[in-house]
Amino acid sequence: MPIASSDSMHDVLIIGAGPAGLAAALWCDELGLDTLVLEQAETVGGQLLSVYNPIENYPGVSVKSGRDFLDLLSPKLEAADFDLWTNTTIESVDLKTKRAVLQSGEQLQSISIIIATGVRRRQLGIPGETEFAGRGILESATRDRDQLAGKDVCIIGGGDAAAENALLLADVCPTVTLVHRGKSLKARREFTEQMVGHHSITIFPESVVIRILGNTEVEAVEILRKEALKPFQMAVQGVLVRIGVQPNTELFREQIVLNENNYVMVNGEQETNLANVFAIGDVANPLAPTISGATGAGATAAKVIASRLNKRK
Ligand SMILES: Cc1cc2nc3c(=O)[nH]c(=O)nc-3n(C[C@H](O)[C@H](O)[C@H](O)COP(=O)(O)OP(=O)(O)OC[C@H]3O[C@@H](n4cnc5c(N)ncnc54)[C@H](O)[C@@H]3O)c2cc1C
């Protein structure tokens, strides 16, 4: 994948190199489109890099992790002839004129744009959260399970991800405390039923963690329960935050139609309300975010763009 010269007009500018952006780029290459992919991270893969569970729901594929999934894609990516710039920060993008300006000052021009920026985990925004990242604040219960054995853990969140992680840790940790804002858990019944009967799991509904405390590592969380006058501290050595995700759409706000949670709205061709601006993958799919959904949407957008460009020629 050679480096593109920025002064040329591209057929397609793809923003984001997770599974959606990569699948779109492969399709664009196959369809003979001049394609440039911009990725802000150092490497491609997006959320795949933080999937530590087996991936068994992508038809025909069974792999141990997101990285293994990426390894399957690698030979195709290396053989393909699209341009890819990683470590690239976009300063601004004008979706109407299809012009982008990079932090480096470089200006890019394209005929069409595909937004494939995915989602990121929501953060609590409380003291201690950033300071103790990697020092007791966990990235993945699956990955860190062995390391957590014998330790007391607090999980923050009330949905499927929080519940699934609580159950995963409950067999190796003496106590797992689930703290969530709501009156009742949003997690599916299969999980909540198992949690309620589990001897290691305690659930604090209508409660929030307001501080994470420690010296060099996490040592405690401060919890405020509804109607309690004062917060209390609970000793834990691990904290896992699972309070949902948010779409990466800050660059595009006020330019295209987003839904009430800031996900991009698209039609059946993956096109936004602006002509030749498409959105694919999790950033446009709040209901069923999956790798197969992301790659399928990439194929749709690429094919629509190719058929329009062929008609123009
Ligand atoms: C723990 C976990 C387990 C999962 N397990 C499964 C599973 O078993 N099966 C399954 O199908 N799915 C699973 N998923 C979901 C799956 O990973 C996502 O649906 C998929 O990664 C979405 O792909 P995407 O390309 O739309 O977005 P992402 O993977 O989020 O990629 C978006 C990319 O865009 C980049 N980006 C964002 N903003 C910008 C910007 N301004 N400029 C340039 N680049 C930008 C990001 O850095 C990222 O590389 C899991 C997810 C997680 C977190």
Side-chain angles (χ1 to χ4, degrees):
M1 284 173 280
I3 297 296
S5 85
S6 58
D7 48 17
S8 57
M9 165 74 96
H10 301 282
D11 291 332
V12 193
L13 191 62
I14 300 176
I15 307 177
L22 292 175
L26 288 172
W27 270 103
C28 286
D29 178 45
E30 196 169 322
L31 296 166
L33 304 177
D34 174 329
T35 307
L36 171 61
V37 183
L38 301 177
E39 167 57 53
Q40 67 185 6
E42 269 172 35
T43 52
V44 303
Q47 290 171 70
L48 289 180
L49 303 176
S50 47
V51 176
Y52 298 98
N53 53 276
I55 295 173
E56 286 162 347
N57 42 24
Y58 190 95
V61 170
S62 181
V63 286
K64 285 203 195 99
S65 68
R67 272 182 195 274
D68 286 358
F69 188 92
L70 201 53
D71 286 346
L72 288 181
L73 268 182
S74 290
K76 265 282 210 190
L77 294 174
E78 273 154 30
D81 193 24
F82 61 82
D83 298 311
L84 168 70
W85 296 358
T86 53
N87 237 334
T88 299
T89 304
I90 301 173
E91 191 68 45
S92 66
V93 58
D94 184 333
L95 295 177
K96 264 200 185 125
T97 59
K98 322 283 186 286
R99 265 175 227 261
V101 180
L102 306 185
Q103 204 178 48
S104 60
E106 234 161 322
Q107 303 203 9
L108 304 168
Q109 176 74 62
S110 183
I111 296 172
S112 47
I113 291 184
I114 300 181
I115 298 169
T117 47
V119 298
R120 61 180 185 275
R121 285 213 172 102
R122 247 177 230 293
Q123 291 199 306
L124 291 164
I126 57 170
E129 189 178 23
T130 315
E131 295 89 310
F132 293 112
R135 293 188 290 130
I137 299 200
L138 315 167
E139 210 209 313
S140 161
T142 316
R143 189 193 64 179
D144 302 329
R145 194 167 180 254
D146 291 346
Q147 195 189 316
L148 283 165
K151 294 185 177 166
D152 299 308
V153 173
C154 173
I155 296 184
I156 303 165
D160 280 346
E164 198 177 6
N165 281 294
L167 288 166
L168 197 71
L169 293 178
D171 290 336
V172 295
C173 298
T175 70
V176 175
T177 307
L178 192 101
V179 179
H180 69 104
R181 272 180 188 278
K183 246 188 188 160
S184 52
L185 293 166
K186 284 200 215 126
R188 64 182 93 142
R189 206 159 61 171
E190 165 202 343
F191 290 152
T192 53
E193 281 174 0
Q194 284 183 64
M195 282 203 303
V196 168
H198 202 294
H199 65 277
S200 306
I201 300 180
T202 305
I203 302 172
F204 285 162
E206 298 189 274
S207 307
V208 286
V209 170
I210 55 172
R211 214 149 52 110
I212 298 166
L213 306 149
N215 287 305
T216 52
E217 301 269 327
V218 168
E219 289 171 15
V221 287
E222 201 162 272
I223 300 172
L224 183 61
R225 303 202 66 180
K226 194 180 171 202
E227 285 160 17
L229 293 177
K230 279 204 222 152
F232 67 96
Q233 289 186 3
M234 184 178 72
V236 291
Q237 297 82 51
V239 174
L240 186 73
V241 182
R242 286 293 181 271
I243 54 170
V245 294
Q246 64 188 90
N248 296 316
T249 46
E250 286 80 359
L251 255 186
F252 320 109
R253 285 193 189 153
E254 269 123 59
Q255 297 196 62
I256 44 170
V257 176
L258 307 178
N259 80 359
E260 68 281 9
N261 296 318
N262 292 319
Y263 284 83
V264 185
M265 303 282 281
V266 290
N267 63 19
E269 295 188 323
Q270 299 297 138
E271 194 167 25
T272 67
N273 62 304
L274 284 184
N276 299 319
V277 177
F278 299 79
I280 58 173
D282 285 12
V283 74
N285 187 0
L287 288 181
T290 55
I291 302 165
S292 50
T295 54
T300 302
K303 288 198 161 201
V304 172
I305 293 168
S307 72
R308 287 186 192 171
L309 286 173
N310 288 338
K311 273 188 207 144
R312 277 165 59 137
K313 281 176 187 163

